[in-house]
Amino acid sequence: MRLLGFFMPKMPVSLVYMLQSVEYDPWGFVSWLKELPNLRRIMYRRTLHFTKKAKALVLFTYTIWSALLLVAVLLAVVDNYVFAAAIVLLSPLVCVIALFIAVLIARVFITGPREKKLIAASEKKFAVHPAIKIAVAGSYGKTTMKELLATVLAEGKQVAATPGNLNVPISHARWLNRLEGNEEVLIIEYGEGAPGDVARFAHTTHPNIGVITGLAPAHLDRYPSLHAAGDDIFSLADYLGDSNTYVNGDSVAAQDFIKSEQNVYTEKGIGDWNIQDVQVGYEGIKFVMQRGDDILELHSELLGRHQIGPLAAVASIALKVGLTRDQVEAGIAKTKPFEHRLQPRPLNGAWILDDTYNGNIDGIRAGLALLKELPANRKVYVTPGLVDQGVETGPVHREMGRLIAAANPDQVVLMQNSAASLIRAGLEEAGYQGGVLVEADPLQFYTNLEHFVAAGDLVLMQNDWTDNYR
Amino acid sequence: MNKPTVAVIFGSRSAEHDVSIVTALASVIKPLELSKQYNVVPVYIAKDGRWFSDPKLKDIQLFSSGAIDEFMRKSKPVALEFGKGLKLIQSGGMRNRSTTIDIVFPATHGTYGEDGTLMGVLEMANVPFVGCDVAASAIAMDKVLSKQQAIANNILTPKFVYFTRHDFARQNGSLLNKIEKDLQYPLFVKPAHLGSSIGITRVMNRNELENAIEVALHYDSKALVEEGVSNLIEVTQPIIGNDNPQLAHLEQPLTQAEDFFDFDTKYMKGGKKGKGGAKTDSRGAQGYSKIPADLPTDLYEKAQSIAVEVYRAVGCSGIARIDMLIDSKSGQVYFNEINPMPGSLYSHNWNKAGVSNINLVTRLVELAIEKHAEKQKIATTFSTNYLKQF
């Protein structure tokens, strides 16, 4: 039945959607195709974004397909039905191969060389740019840290930060070209994806300060192990020196890499600064940072105790680059939850915490700690599980199950996929007694959430499970 | 294990046919299906009284687009079979298709449904069903009977006069005289059996009164005229439960003294323009109500207590909504009317009371099963030698 999808009229659109979903990586495209996806349902959650590149590829595929079908018709006209049928049957395969070759050729001969040139030019521009350059690296929390730094430092400095999640050298280069040149602080997010990436990014962007937001299993399809990912991320400290490196001390997996000479931030403080009088609620967090007689009274709309460490790091960096205490307090007060990152929204009198951009076990731990801490009549935890966990998939999901059980929500909602049984195993190991619902159709569940909740409920939704995972 | 099958019946020969479709599709079928505890079978009773059952009937587009007419032209109606429970029989091809129904969720409003007629069919079939039984439904849907029941239980209700179409045709002038003698303007003229405030008119003089009675008797064969309550605060109390009623919040529709909580205010998007303190919300009553009602605690509790008294006096079970009128100066609470199948189950209020849509419908199904099980304990037949004498 799945093969039938390759013969439907919108097959070329579906194939290009797949390519777009894997960022036009030809090998990612092939590995998805190996799973023989159902093309009729592949654009269920999202649809193709018709960029110029996507339009060209769709047109290219339709042209090839039409040509093949035309040949088949001509063969049928001259009574060569066997060849005609063979061409019709093989035409989708030919389209797939043609698309793969087209994308591969473009990458090797056109986009690849062009990007190399741009990146090389950016290295020279970064080297001479007078701004303080702050690099943000880590398996998770990078975008949040970058936005926090940008929000707070903007209280006293001219700041520019890499936009969205454009965090690879070619995006850094294009972004740098758009800058005015009068910036006082540049914040650069590093999106590591394979061994050696972070060191390479550092040599290109020449940072003065680095923030390592945490280490957790992510992209383990390309890193041989979690330790290898840690080696890569912590190569930033090798480049900058420990005193210029800020590290999230609450990250469990990062412990083996952390050195006391580094600026380690935790929810207890950073350096000589201690954290006191913490209040956590739906309206955000409040705490006091104290160092001797120095006191910072901080309030943020960010949710969760785990945000205290990053906020303390941001406050510390802000003071280091020359902001006043008042500017730091005002800047921290402007920090708000980011979209899909523990973002609260009311529904039928309930609170929905949208943490669907979270994709790591430390984020799971933090979200569940918040779920446990906040008051509610009924607590519901929703997750499809984590993707890109590689060899850690089994242990990570069982650990998730145990963490969920420890937070003890009234109801757990899982999605019918390969992670569900692993999470259930973890829940059972930890003796979870609440209700477990396994949803076959995540989209239906998310769009009908209003039927599941009532006033006083708290629903935490974590992680995302995109179309290219099962 | 097989999931029980719940038939959701909606539509019917009623002025509230369309409201029933929305209640069934949005507030009953959707959450029942999302609960994953039941197979849900939609049963649509057309305006001409034919019964249809098809999964396509779960889609509101079928009704909103008008495609329902084409659907009915092409589809065969279902028949009902009693015996061991209720079966829907769909004729077709070589043999009929039969669907056994374990529980029925009537989502009908008004005549030929909410008024007890449908419940009679379901009681004959001996199938558990959600909501009030035949007697309670019939009393609740007759504003005169429900007021008489309230009076018999020492529950205050505004003074009223009632009459049939025949009475009015025969003694028009004298009836109007009697109304004007016994009651004081402003008066409310109401059809006795319709819900959703259809056909209700507020009148200030004899001319308006006569016209309003004609309107009410256009919709119904029985009508009543009742006195308005001074210093009015309208409230409504949703209740679920059998022997142990559970209350949602007391709700206060935001209408003004010269206005009342009518069909437009309840159901139409945007409600009544410029009236009732309407804000931006367009979700019918939800956008025009205070939940919970803004009342002193003692008055709030008094109204809730009276609502429970009415619920019990009428013999309600499953679900109902009790409407009351409060004189804010005297603190008197008057029973107004009772609605045995509130539109959309009043789920917006239950949500605020901490009951989700799914929990509401699944609880109602549980209550139906409990009530049915209780009823099975009652002996309905016994053996005699009576026939042997013939």
Side-chain angles (χ1 to χ4, degrees), chain A residues 441-464:
Chain A
D441 187 342
L443 193 63
Q444 194 191 41
F445 176 78
Y446 288 126
T447 52
N448 288 294
L449 199 54
E450 68 191 80
H451 291 287
F452 288 86
V453 300
D457 289 351
L458 170 60
V459 181
L460 173 60
M461 301 197 302
Q462 288 197 298
N463 321 130
D464 193 13

Side-chain angles (χ1 to χ4, degrees), chain A residues 65-77 83-84 87:
Chain A
W65 202 18
S66 307
L68 288 168
L69 295 179
L70 184 65
V71 171
V73 170
L74 292 174
L75 286 169
V77 167
F83 276 107
I87 287 176

Side-chain angles (χ1 to χ4, degrees), chain A residues 4-228:
Chain A
L4 286 178
F6 284 84
F7 293 93
M8 62 175 192
K10 66 172 186 180
M11 176 270 284
V13 178
S14 300
L15 290 179
V16 177
Y17 168 77
M18 289 170 68
L19 267 169
Q20 196 174 61
S21 300
V22 294
E23 295 172 354
Y24 299 99
D25 171 13
W27 303 110
F29 178 59
V30 168
S31 69
W32 192 354
L33 279 167
K34 276 186 196 164
E35 293 176 11
L36 201 59
N38 185 346
L39 290 196
R40 282 175 299 179
R41 284 177 55 85
I42 208 141
M43 287 192 289
Y44 183 56
R45 288 156 50 94
R46 299 190 183 103
T47 53
L48 177 66
H49 182 47
F50 279 92
T51 58
K52 273 186 192 169
K53 193 191 285 185
K55 279 181 193 168
L57 287 171
V58 168
L59 185 65
F60 169 73
T61 317
Y62 269 121
T63 307
I64 288 183
W65 202 18
S66 307
L68 288 168
L69 295 179
L70 184 65
V71 171
V73 170
L74 292 174
L75 286 169
V77 167
V78 295
D79 295 343
N80 200 340
Y81 297 113
V82 176
F83 276 107
I87 287 176
V88 170
L89 288 174
L90 292 173
S91 61
L93 181 63
V94 176
C95 290
V96 166
I97 293 169
L99 258 180
F100 171 78
I101 292 171
V103 173
L104 191 64
I105 286 174
R107 181 165 278 221
V108 173
F109 294 106
I110 305 168
T111 55
R114 194 189 295 159
E115 288 178 359
K116 265 188 186 163
K117 208 171 164 185
L118 262 174
I119 292 165
S122 77
E123 189 272 330
K124 292 190 177 74
K125 281 191 184 176
F126 273 119
V128 297
H129 198 294
I132 298 167
K133 291 174 276 285
I134 304 175
V136 182
S139 310
Y140 60 87
K142 295 188 289 288
T143 308
T144 300
M145 174 55 75
K146 179 187 70 181
E147 298 293 345
L148 292 179
L149 282 166
T151 304
V152 177
L153 297 182
E155 285 297 300
K157 299 283 178 189
Q158 187 78 17
V159 181
T162 51
N165 57 359
L166 299 177
N167 53 21
V168 292
I170 185 61
S171 351
H172 296 160
R174 289 182 180 136
W175 166 72
L176 185 64
N177 283 342
R178 292 195 299 271
L179 297 182
E180 306 266 327
N182 60 348
E183 297 79 11
E184 295 171 287
V185 179
L186 297 183
I187 306 166
I188 309 152
E189 182 181 327
Y190 287 1
E192 86 291 347
D197 272 358
V198 171
R200 191 158 52 85
F201 297 170
H203 283 101
T204 308
T205 58
H206 299 287
N208 313 103
I209 297 171
V211 183
I212 295 174
T213 54
L215 177 64
H219 304 303
L220 289 190
D221 48 339
R222 278 172 282 182
Y223 283 103
S225 66
L226 181 59
H227 201 272

Side-chain angles (χ1 to χ4, degrees), chain B residues 155-225:
Chain B
I155 298 165
L156 274 182
T157 187
K159 284 169 70 178
F160 68 104
V161 171
Y162 73 96
F163 43 86
T164 63
R165 189 182 291 155
H166 177 72
D167 295 337
F168 187 68
R170 202 159 45 98
Q171 35 174 315
N172 178 326
S174 60
L175 193 59
L176 291 173
N177 290 342
K178 177 180 163 50
I179 291 168
E180 289 196 313
K181 179 170 166 265
D182 291 352
L183 309 175
Q184 289 195 340
Y185 290 106
L187 298 173
F188 287 87
V189 183
K190 304 176 175 179
H193 298 101
L194 291 190
S196 301
S197 309
I198 291 168
I200 298 182
T201 317
R202 179 178 186 270
V203 298
M204 293 299 294
N205 55 51
R206 188 178 178 109
N207 191 31
E208 288 178 0
L209 174 65
E210 195 168 358
N211 289 338
I213 290 172
E214 280 179 17
V215 170
L217 291 177
H218 172 73
Y219 288 106
D220 205 338
S221 60
K222 188 160 82 171
L224 71 155
V225 179

Side-chain angles (χ1 to χ4, degrees), chain B residues 59-104:
Chain B
D59 184 0
I60 190 75
Q61 289 288 329
L62 184 71
F63 298 94
S64 58
S65 67
I68 185 66
D69 296 331
E70 180 67 13
F71 169 85
M72 288 193 294
R73 225 179 356 263
K74 289 182 177 170
S75 308
K76 288 186 178 167
V78 291
L80 305 184
E81 185 181 287
F82 297 170
K84 290 177 183 172
L86 177 65
K87 282 184 180 161
L88 296 177
I89 310 296
Q90 186 113 44
S91 63
M94 299 288 284
R95 60 180 192 155
N96 293 341
R97 189 162 53 86
S98 159
T99 307
T100 302
I101 302 301
D102 300 303
I103 303 135
V104 174

Side-chain angles (χ1 to χ4, degrees), chain A residues 136 140-149 152 211-214 246-251 263-270 275 285 287 289 298 300 302-318 328 332 335 338 366:
Chain A
V136 182
Y140 60 87
K142 295 188 289 288
T143 308
T144 300
M145 174 55 75
K146 179 187 70 181
E147 298 293 345
L148 292 179
L149 282 166
V152 177
V211 183
I212 295 174
T213 54
Y246 290 72
V247 184
N248 181 1
D250 288 329
S251 170
N263 300 290
V264 180
Y265 61 88
T266 70
E267 62 178 64
K268 295 200 171 80
I270 176 168
I275 306 292
I285 44 178
F287 60 96
M289 262 177 89
L298 302 176
S300 167
L302 290 171
L303 296 188
R305 202 172 276 274
H306 66 290
Q307 304 284 16
I308 293 171
L311 286 169
V314 170
S316 173
I317 292 170
V328 172
I332 296 281
T335 56
F338 305 104

Side-chain angles (χ1 to χ4, degrees), chain B residues 17-128:
Chain B
H17 170 273
D18 294 357
V19 178
S20 163
I21 292 169
V22 176
T23 295
L25 271 54
S27 302
V28 181
I29 291 176
K30 190 79 178 176
L32 273 178
E33 290 200 311
L34 290 170
S35 78
K36 300 190 187 304
Q37 295 178 36
Y38 310 101
N39 295 315
V40 184
V41 175
V43 179
Y44 169 61
I45 308 177
K47 286 179 179 174
D48 61 10
R50 288 180 297 162
W51 291 42
F52 294 92
S53 183
D54 188 292
K56 288 178 192 153
L57 291 163
K58 294 176 187 174
D59 184 0
I60 190 75
Q61 289 288 329
L62 184 71
F63 298 94
S64 58
S65 67
I68 185 66
D69 296 331
E70 180 67 13
F71 169 85
M72 288 193 294
R73 225 179 356 263
K74 289 182 177 170
S75 308
K76 288 186 178 167
V78 291
L80 305 184
E81 185 181 287
F82 297 170
K84 290 177 183 172
L86 177 65
K87 282 184 180 161
L88 296 177
I89 310 296
Q90 186 113 44
S91 63
M94 299 288 284
R95 60 180 192 155
N96 293 341
R97 189 162 53 86
S98 159
T99 307
T100 302
I101 302 301
D102 300 303
I103 303 135
V104 174
F105 200 127
T108 49
H109 298 305
T111 51
Y112 301 102
E114 192 182 9
D115 57 359
T117 48
L118 175 59
M119 290 71 198
V121 172
L122 302 175
E123 288 191 10
M124 288 295 288
N126 195 25
V127 63

